[in-house]
Amino acid sequence: MSEPAEALRQIAFQLERGGAPTYRVRAFRNAAEVLDGLAPGELDRRIAAGTLEALKGIGATTAEVITQAAAGEQPAYLARLLGDQPPAAERTGLRAALRGDCHTHSDWSDGGSPPREMAEAARALGHEWVALTDHSPRLTVANGLSAERLIDQLQLIDELNAELAPFRILTGIEVDILDDGSLDQREDLLRRLDVVVASVHSKLRMPAGPMTKRMVAAVRNPHVDVLGHCTGRLLSGGRGRRPESAFDPRAVFAACQAEGVAVEINCRPERRDPPTRLLRLAAEIGCVFAIDTDAHAPGQLDWLGNGTVRAEDAGITADRIINTSTADELIARRARQA
């Protein structure tokens, strides 16, 4: 990878980490991909001739970044971003104990980057593993994976793991919880996966009684490992604010505790789900937890600290967080729960 391409990807990462809109980020990642495809020597020739912007996908801003990086300088755009962003927090306590992330998305569904790019970013952050949990077929707005596409993705993950070892991509899915509590994917495929996150994405205003039955039924499914963003609330962001779904949290968390299903502590700034009162309730009931970024871009993988701070405030210790496990330990835990 050339230094200019790496500079473009660093800018994209910092923009993602700061929650920038996808269109801003994509310009830098697209430009890096253009550089990756150039023949040897072409970049230097174009810089000398001033013809970088003749390349499709390179604009004035990205051309300036490329030129500065090729000269051995830190691009001014990157320097500004690094100056504006709060520094990454020191990894102590729970953050230092985390080995991976149970909930991430790629461009196979509604993420912005391919699985390899997500995996390489996770590895660069010090993760030992990352679960790729793209959406299930019913969520068409998120380009959810049909059974056939999921099978294709499993093959790709096998190939990537052979190249990236000892780092590991765990196979997974964020599967929709349907109205009756059943899951939106074939049972034989769910059985093959390493991590299954079950989440409600539809009929979020369902009355509390039916919603509770729906969620408890999903939690009792033997293939489910994690209950994702349990209230469905949104505090901010492009989709606007959304209130919490109504359900009986004691009944749902008691089912999670009985079945060994982890309650997700979702790290996305616009979610911060579950709310503090419910996080404390789940802890009191004796649940285990998964601290997950729900990342849709590489830079968002650095959001784990958002969740570890909340977990520590709720008195949750590392032995109750499943992503403090190694990949093999997590898979063995799944086998015992089945």
Side-chain angles (χ1 to χ4, degrees), residues 228-245:
H229 47 68
C230 63
T231 76
R233 72 174 184 175
L234 291 175
L235 302 175
S236 61
R239 290 175 285 178
R241 295 176 65 88
R242 185 166 67 205
E244 300 170 21
S245 294

Side-chain angles (χ1 to χ4, degrees), residues 117-292:
E117 207 163 271
M118 293 295 289
E120 289 174 342
R123 182 175 62 179
L125 286 168
H127 293 17
E128 297 177 12
W129 54 266
V130 68
L132 180 58
T133 53
D134 279 318
H135 289 287
S136 61
R138 174 167 170 167
L139 205 62
T140 54
V141 68
N143 193 29
L145 272 63
S146 65
E148 294 73 22
R149 291 181 65 219
L150 179 56
I151 291 168
D152 289 343
Q153 188 180 79
L154 297 183
Q155 177 61 40
L156 172 65
I157 290 173
D158 282 345
E159 295 167 3
L160 290 174
N161 279 337
E163 297 177 35
L164 298 173
F167 181 85
R168 190 164 171 186
I169 306 173
L170 299 185
T171 59
I173 190 171
E174 184 182 14
V175 64
D176 264 32
I177 300 174
L178 302 180
D179 297 356
D180 62 356
S182 61
L183 302 181
D184 181 38
Q185 190 48 275
R186 282 174 19 197
E187 185 173 345
D188 62 309
L189 288 180
L190 294 175
R191 190 181 300 117
R192 288 176 59 182
L193 301 176
D194 297 324
V195 178
V196 173
V197 178
S199 305
V200 173
H201 288 108
S202 61
K203 296 191 178 177
L204 293 165
R205 309 314 311 145
M206 180 181 283
M211 180 65 88
T212 301
K213 291 179 182 178
R214 176 186 186 184
M215 294 172 74
V216 168
V219 164
R220 289 177 175 162
N221 186 299
H223 303 303
V224 172
D225 302 294
V226 179
L227 176 63
H229 47 68
C230 63
T231 76
R233 72 174 184 175
L234 291 175
L235 302 175
S236 61
R239 290 175 285 178
R241 295 176 65 88
R242 185 166 67 205
E244 300 170 21
S245 294
F247 60 93
D248 180 347
R250 285 192 175 273
V252 171
F253 295 153
C256 288
Q257 193 279 332
E259 301 297 331
V261 170
V263 175
E264 178 179 74
I265 302 174
N266 190 290
C267 298
R268 294 193 67 83
E270 74 273 22
R271 286 194 182 274
R272 298 202 297 277
D273 205 354
T276 298
R277 74 183 193 286
L278 296 187
L279 181 57
R280 293 184 182 280
L281 176 62
E284 172 191 312
I285 287 171
C287 294
V288 295
F289 299 88
I291 299 177
D292 299 333

Side-chain angles (χ1 to χ4, degrees), residues 287-335:
C287 294
V288 295
F289 299 88
I291 299 177
D292 299 333
T293 60
D294 192 0
H296 287 63
Q300 296 173 7
L301 291 163
D302 203 23
W303 285 350
L304 283 174
N306 296 346
T308 56
V309 169
R310 299 190 66 224
E312 287 171 337
D313 287 347
I316 298 165
T317 51
D319 60 319
R320 296 175 65 183
I321 299 171
I322 66 171
N323 45 324
T324 61
S325 305
T326 66
D328 287 339
E329 288 168 346
L330 195 65
I331 292 169
R333 179 184 185 277
R334 176 172 171 77

Side-chain angles (χ1 to χ4, degrees), residues 12-159:
F13 182 93
Q14 292 300 328
L15 287 169
E16 290 159 353
R17 181 171 173 252
T22 300
Y23 75 88
R24 281 186 65 199
V25 176
R26 198 66 246 170
F28 292 95
R29 292 204 178 275
N30 286 344
E33 291 169 10
V34 170
L35 297 193
D36 290 342
L38 294 181
E42 183 176 355
L43 176 59
D44 291 339
R45 289 193 294 272
R46 286 191 175 274
I47 290 172
T51 59
L52 278 174
E53 292 180 55
L55 291 167
K56 184 177 180 181
I58 305 292
T61 299
T62 50
E64 181 180 33
V65 169
I66 292 165
T67 301
Q68 292 170 349
E73 304 168 10
Q74 182 181 64
Y77 196 111
L78 179 57
R80 286 195 302 274
L81 278 180
L82 293 172
D84 292 342
Q85 290 273 17
E90 183 181 357
R91 293 186 181 180
T92 59
L94 286 184
R95 180 63 190 88
L98 297 186
R99 297 174 182 266
D101 192 335
C102 295
H103 184 176
T104 72
H105 297 275
S106 76
D107 62 358
W108 281 57
S109 63
D110 62 343
S113 292
R116 174 190 287 278
E117 207 163 271
M118 293 295 289
E120 289 174 342
R123 182 175 62 179
L125 286 168
H127 293 17
E128 297 177 12
W129 54 266
V130 68
L132 180 58
T133 53
D134 279 318
H135 289 287
S136 61
R138 174 167 170 167
L139 205 62
T140 54
V141 68
N143 193 29
L145 272 63
S146 65
E148 294 73 22
R149 291 181 65 219
L150 179 56
I151 291 168
D152 289 343
Q153 188 180 79
L154 297 183
Q155 177 61 40
L156 172 65
I157 290 173
D158 282 345
E159 295 167 3

